[in-house]
């Protein structure tokens, strides 16, 4: 199930493109805040993994959820890559010299009013993390082949803002990966041809 890195690179966008986007249920017509995340693929000897974070429960946006490192675009950011790398350094202390950018996934527009540019990169160990305890409860890794396997993508639904919303989740041990994070993982699997878009 693990595609090689060249296959991943080949399926990605070479540059961010706002015209190519995925719209989450319930977000239609919202005013959108620009953000960017790093989709970090760690090159482990036993096989590549994806580095994820669990946000602290008290945060206003997506508290307690599993997420990619990233956040809102700031005025000083020159590009989505700049935002993703800056936020990654701030949240988990992963220095940008360990990261090679492969490309971009389509913009992901959330039901909570964010338009997120997913920046896909590979992370070369060894590296050390220094987690910001205000924003991040934990950083952990999940095997890439687990996340890309459509058999691990479970359909769920819930009532939100007066309507039934449908979404995918990827339960992994004690972690419940869902929402925008799962949506961006599904975006990659679709571009790799591993399931229908």
């Amino acid at each position: 199930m693990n595609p090689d890195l060249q296959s991943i690179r080949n399926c990605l966008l070479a540059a961010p493109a706002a015209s190519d986007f995925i719209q989450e249920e319930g977000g239609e017509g919202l005013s959108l805040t620009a953000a960017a995340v790093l989709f970090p693929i760690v090159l482990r000897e036993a096989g590549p993994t994806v580095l994820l974070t669990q946000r602290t429960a008290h945060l206003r946006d997506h508290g307690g959820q599993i997420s990619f490192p990233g956040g809102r675009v700031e005025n000083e950011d020159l590009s989505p890559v700049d935002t993703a790398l800056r936020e990654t350094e701030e949240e988990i202390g992963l220095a940008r010299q360990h990261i090679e950018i492969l490309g971009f996934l389509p913009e992901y527009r959330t039901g909570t009013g964010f338009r997120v540019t997913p920046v896909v990169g590979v992370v070369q160990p060894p590296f050390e993390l220094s987690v910001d305890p205000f924003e991040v409860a934990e950083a952990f890794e999940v095997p890439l082949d687990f996340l890309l396997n459509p058999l691990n993508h479970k359909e769920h639904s819930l009532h939100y803002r007066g309507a039934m919303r449908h979404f995918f989740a990827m339960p992994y041990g004690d972690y419940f990966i869902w929402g925008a994070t799962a949506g961006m993982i599904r975006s990659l699997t679709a571009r790799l041809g591993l399931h229908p878009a």
Side-chain angles (χ1 to χ4, degrees):
M1 186 57 61
N2 247 337
D4 59 68
L5 289 179
Q6 192 58 48
S7 299
I8 292 175
R9 190 193 299 268
N10 290 345
C11 83
L12 298 173
L13 302 169
S19 59
D20 190 356
F21 66 89
I22 294 167
Q23 177 68 63
E24 208 171 63
E25 269 189 26
E28 302 83 354
L30 291 179
S31 175
L32 299 172
T33 300
V37 298
L38 182 68
F39 190 133
I41 299 171
V42 183
L43 302 180
R44 297 291 184 192
E45 284 187 16
T49 64
V50 177
L51 179 59
L52 295 168
T53 68
Q54 180 154 28
R55 295 168 63 78
T56 48
H58 67 83
L59 292 177
R60 185 168 62 92
D61 294 317
H62 312 292
Q65 289 189 16
I66 305 299
S67 65
F68 293 114
R72 299 165 190 256
V73 172
E74 302 292 350
N75 290 335
E76 66 269 19
D77 294 337
L78 301 176
S79 67
V81 170
D82 206 31
T83 301
L85 294 179
R86 174 186 56 74
E87 285 278 350
T88 297
E89 287 180 326
E90 291 175 2
E91 289 182 6
I92 59 174
L94 178 59
R96 59 184 69 202
Q97 63 259 31
H98 294 289
I99 303 166
E100 176 196 352
I101 304 302
L102 296 182
F104 303 86
L105 288 168
E107 183 176 279
Y108 192 89
R109 299 183 179 181
T110 73
T112 52
F114 288 92
R115 54 180 187 87
V116 183
T117 300
V119 181
V120 181
V122 292
V123 184
Q124 186 66 59
F127 56 84
E128 290 187 15
L129 300 181
S130 177
V131 169
D132 175 355
F134 181 80
E135 289 196 53
V136 177
E138 183 184 2
F140 62 97
E141 296 177 32
V142 178
L144 179 64
D145 62 352
F146 176 89
L147 293 175
L148 295 185
N149 187 340
L151 295 176
N152 297 322
H153 301 181
K154 309 299 182 185
E155 292 191 65
H156 292 265
S157 57
L158 56 72
H159 267 287
Y160 181 67
R161 291 182 181 168
M164 183 64 78
R165 310 295 185 194
H166 304 279
F167 62 94
F168 281 92
M170 295 135 197
Y172 180 75
D174 293 334
Y175 302 108
F176 191 69
I177 302 163
W178 71 291
T181 303
M184 287 180 248
I185 293 167
R186 293 267 303 170
S187 172
L188 177 57
T189 60
R191 295 183 74 84
L192 286 166
L194 300 177
H195 69 82

